[in-house]
Amino acid sequence: MTKGIQVAIDGPASAGKSTVAKLVAKRFNYVYCDTGAMYRVVTLAALRAGLTMDQADKIAELAKQIKIGFQPGEPEQRVFLNDDEVTQDIRTAQIDNNVSAVAAIPAVRAEMTNQQRQIAANGGIVMDGRDIGTTVLPNAPVKIFMVATAHERARRRYVENKEKGIATASLEDLQKEIELRDQKDSTRKVSPLTQAPDATRLDTTKLSIDEVVDAISEIIKKTQEQL
């Protein structure tokens, strides 16, 4: 399929959006865009530049200057800041704890939203994030809102970090960090985390990755048949 539809997958931190989105994209031969990684790259660039999270204007200007790139990779997509691979660098606790502040900067969101819309313009795209169905791609024919309990999301993050050899906090501390992230994401003034009225809510707490991918794939197939 050379051209398909836009698929928007939203949800809170560690709901499994990126993992599922990549697999769905592969199944339909669609492009995958990890919007969360884009905000993480901006956060990393800001920290490397010695900026503090309250320097919104400087961070927004930096977001316009840097080049964010993606390349296929196994087991995960490779992410680049200019010509520097930062796939692992953007998945640290320091980035986790600062990315919400960067993502809440209106000018940063405007720049990232513009880039994301350009990527999705031709369809055949699976895009995941916090505000894809509500702000970035409000007309996407398929919108999924993935949720899971904070405890389950913390457990997943804990296991993932251990498997990747990333230094990690205790399960209890991770849960507290995720709950704080939820609070920040859902209460920010610009594009808060919220379910689009026409999105399908999918609770993944007790579902395997394959079960989630299958459920979303069925929704896509039915939508394609109706279009």
Side-chain angles (χ1 to χ4, degrees), residues 93 96 150 153-159 161 167-180:
D96 287 347
R153 287 183 283 137
R155 186 194 67 78
R156 292 172 183 173
R157 175 62 61 85
Y158 184 82
V159 171
N161 287 351
T168 187
S170 68
L171 184 58
E172 182 180 1
D173 286 342
L174 276 177
Q175 183 170 334
K176 290 179 181 178
E177 289 176 6
I178 283 175
E179 289 170 344
L180 178 60

Side-chain angles (χ1 to χ4, degrees), residues 13-220:
S14 299
K17 301 183 299 298
S18 296
T19 299
V20 167
K22 282 182 279 190
L23 292 171
V24 170
K26 189 173 183 179
R27 182 172 292 190
F28 288 88
N29 195 28
Y30 280 12
V31 172
Y32 165 63
C33 179
D34 182 353
T35 66
M38 295 174 74
Y39 288 102
R40 286 174 174 272
V41 172
V42 176
T43 304
L44 178 65
L47 291 171
R48 285 184 173 180
L51 300 178
T52 57
M53 296 303 103
D54 58 353
Q55 294 178 287
D57 290 344
K58 290 185 177 181
I59 294 175
E61 187 60 34
L62 183 64
K64 296 178 181 179
Q65 297 171 356
I66 64 174
K67 177 184 176 183
I68 301 173
F70 296 101
Q71 289 184 14
E74 291 294 340
E76 60 187 338
Q77 187 169 238
R78 300 171 69 195
V79 185
F80 292 81
L81 165 56
N82 298 323
D83 295 323
D84 181 18
E85 182 172 0
V86 294
T87 308
Q88 295 301 325
D89 297 333
I90 64 170
R91 299 296 173 184
T92 65
Q94 185 183 31
I95 301 299
D96 287 347
N97 295 333
N98 287 287
V99 66
S100 287
V102 171
I105 299 172
V108 172
R109 295 206 72 82
E111 175 62 24
M112 293 300 103
T113 295
N114 181 54
Q115 291 187 27
Q116 291 155 14
R117 285 174 176 163
Q118 291 177 9
I119 293 170
N122 293 324
I125 184 88
V126 180
M127 191 174 287
D128 71 285
R130 300 290 192 282
D131 63 343
I132 309 306
T134 54
T135 301
V136 182
L137 303 177
N139 297 318
V142 172
K143 298 178 185 178
I144 307 295
F145 194 79
M146 287 176 55
V147 297
T149 64
H151 177 76
E152 174 61 17
R153 287 183 283 137
R155 186 194 67 78
R156 292 172 183 173
R157 175 62 61 85
Y158 184 82
V159 171
E160 180 182 12
N161 287 351
K162 286 291 188 181
E163 290 177 346
K164 293 181 178 179
I166 299 173
T168 187
S170 68
L171 184 58
E172 182 180 1
D173 286 342
L174 276 177
Q175 183 170 334
K176 290 179 181 178
E177 289 176 6
I178 283 175
E179 289 170 344
L180 178 60
R181 179 83 185 275
D182 289 349
Q183 193 272 334
K184 290 179 180 177
D185 288 344
S186 60
T187 59
R188 68 186 178 212
K189 293 181 179 180
V190 181
S191 297
L193 170 65
T194 185
Q195 180 177 337
D198 55 345
T200 299
R201 189 179 186 87
L202 186 59
D203 190 334
T204 70
T205 303
K206 297 182 180 179
L207 299 178
S208 68
I209 292 173
D210 288 342
E211 288 172 331
V212 177
V213 172
D214 287 344
I216 295 175
S217 296
E218 283 303 310
I219 294 171
I220 294 173

